[in-house]
Amino acid sequence: MSLFKGAGVALITPFNKDKSVNYDELGRIIDRQIEGKTDALIVCGTTGEPATMTEEEKLSVIEFAVKRTAGRIPVIAGTGANSTAAVIDFSKKVQKLGVDGFLIVTPFYNKATQGGLYEHYKTIAQSVELPIIIYNVPSRTGCNIQPQTAVKLAHDCKNIVGIKEASGNISQVAKLASLAEGTLDIYSGNDDQIIPILSLGGVGVISVLSNVVPQETHDMVTEYLNGNHRKALDIQLKYLDLINLLFCEVNPIPVKAAMNYMGFNVGGLRLPLTEIERQNGEKLKQELIKMSII
């Protein structure tokens, strides 16, 4: 069962000056995403800064997103942690809020073995009812789930339905697609690899770029899935420089800067993340001007 096909936005969390959550702006951003044909909202993923949010804040943001979306598109909540018990406890609370599924990152810092990763996800899957997308991003977690492990989980756990692949290793994604044979939905976790991963049988992207240009990111994936490969590739290449600038510093520093340049009141970041370096901010602003985004 696919949670979604197309472009899901890895949603930012806007803050007020005092770094509390700005719910007015969050609502505005969600409405813009839906108007821009975004195919799913991914809330409290990496881009939403959950690492510096309390559990109460995360539950509040997720609940707000569910209510604001009102069933128009799926809402997928990030519930990952490096403790299996903590993931289960939090996911059960989130499940009651009406989300459509979970995005669960591989446990960070612990550096679990492949056997440990299998048991981690299997135990979680057996404890919750909703569909799960595994999130593989070894550059952040120090942990890489191998294709064989991911596919075994999909075969053994009916509610493990997808994987967000942000390893950056196209050869690994190809191996994953070969082994999965359609049993596991593959989503690009890197905006500069959307078309390459779609070409290997991927069904979409969980995108930072979508915060800035939701319609165009949706169109890129939709055109590819509809067989218009050249048109989709043209969109990928058109936004490649912007994508690179959105990752010139650790995510979500640049994308929050971009949204502020665009006139949204998303505020700053919570420590230890800091504001974008002046020279990088200027390059990003000039690219947004060049692309007629601001």
Side-chain angles (χ1 to χ4, degrees):
M1 180 187 72
S2 293
L3 265 170
F4 75 96
K5 292 185 179 182
V9 60
L11 199 69
I12 62 169
T13 302
F15 294 141
N16 294 303
K17 286 185 178 180
D18 64 359
K19 301 299 172 68
S20 62
V21 177
N22 185 338
Y23 287 98
D24 288 341
E25 200 66 357
L26 180 59
R28 179 187 174 200
I29 290 168
I30 290 171
D31 289 345
R32 174 177 177 262
Q33 286 295 320
I34 294 172
E35 290 165 6
K37 297 186 179 179
T38 287
D39 299 287
L41 290 183
I42 291 79
V43 186
C44 290
T46 304
T47 311
E49 299 176 71
T52 54
M53 295 168 67
T54 66
E55 181 176 290
E56 182 181 7
E57 285 176 320
K58 288 185 283 189
L59 289 170
S60 178
V61 166
I62 293 164
E63 184 176 24
F64 181 91
V66 169
K67 290 180 177 178
R68 188 72 173 220
T69 304
R72 290 176 286 175
I73 59 175
V75 176
I76 299 164
T79 61
N82 62 345
S83 160
T84 307
V87 176
I88 292 169
D89 180 69
F90 185 57
S91 297
K92 285 182 175 179
K93 293 174 183 176
V94 170
Q95 192 165 257
K96 296 176 182 178
L97 302 178
V99 299
D100 297 279
F102 304 118
L103 177 71
I104 301 181
V105 71
T106 52
F108 43 88
Y109 189 77
N110 303 27
K111 302 187 77 171
T113 63
Q114 294 302 301
L117 291 173
Y118 175 83
E119 293 298 333
H120 174 75
Y121 281 108
K122 182 181 178 182
T123 304
I124 294 166
Q126 291 174 337
S127 303
V128 298
E129 300 169 7
L130 295 178
I132 293 168
I133 298 174
I134 296 168
Y135 179 15
N136 189 40
V137 57
S139 64
R140 281 186 177 267
T141 64
C143 179
N144 181 32
I145 189 164
Q146 294 294 329
Q148 295 88 341
T149 307
V151 171
K152 181 172 172 54
L153 282 164
H155 285 152
D156 295 349
C157 307
K158 65 179 181 179
N159 57 335
I160 293 182
V161 300
I163 183 167
K164 177 183 177 183
E165 240 301 335
S167 67
N169 185 339
I170 290 295
S171 296
Q172 177 168 306
V173 179
K175 180 69 172 178
L176 173 65
S178 174
L179 293 174
E181 297 181 325
T183 62
L184 191 67
D185 286 337
I186 301 173
Y187 300 94
S188 176
N190 294 319
D191 285 317
D192 61 347
Q193 294 183 341
I194 298 173
I195 299 302
I197 287 180
L198 290 176
S199 75
L200 290 168
V203 300
V205 61
I206 295 177
S207 170
V208 174
L209 178 67
S210 283
N211 284 282
V212 179
V213 284
Q215 178 77 60
E216 292 81 355
T217 313
H218 162 84
D219 289 349
M220 186 195 314
V221 180
T222 300
E223 292 292 351
Y224 192 94
L225 295 178
N226 287 340
N228 301 320
H229 298 166
R230 182 69 242 184
K231 189 171 183 180
L233 177 58
D234 287 344
I235 299 171
Q236 172 86 87
L237 297 178
K238 175 182 178 181
Y239 287 100
L240 192 58
D241 288 343
L242 176 58
I243 291 166
N244 289 335
L245 286 166
L246 288 174
F247 291 91
C248 67
E249 295 184 26
V250 69
N251 179 49
I253 292 173
V255 70
K256 291 195 89 171
M259 295 291 284
N260 281 319
Y261 296 150
M262 292 165 64
F264 293 90
N265 184 25
V266 305
L269 305 107
R270 291 178 177 178
L271 288 171
L273 297 185
T274 52
E275 301 306 309
I276 195 167
E277 297 289 338
R278 185 187 60 79
Q279 64 272 24
N280 289 330
E282 187 58 33
K283 290 176 183 176
L284 177 57
K285 187 182 294 184
Q286 290 305 312
E287 185 64 23
L288 293 169
I289 292 170
K290 174 185 167 186
M291 301 298 292
S292 300
I293 296 171
I294 59 174

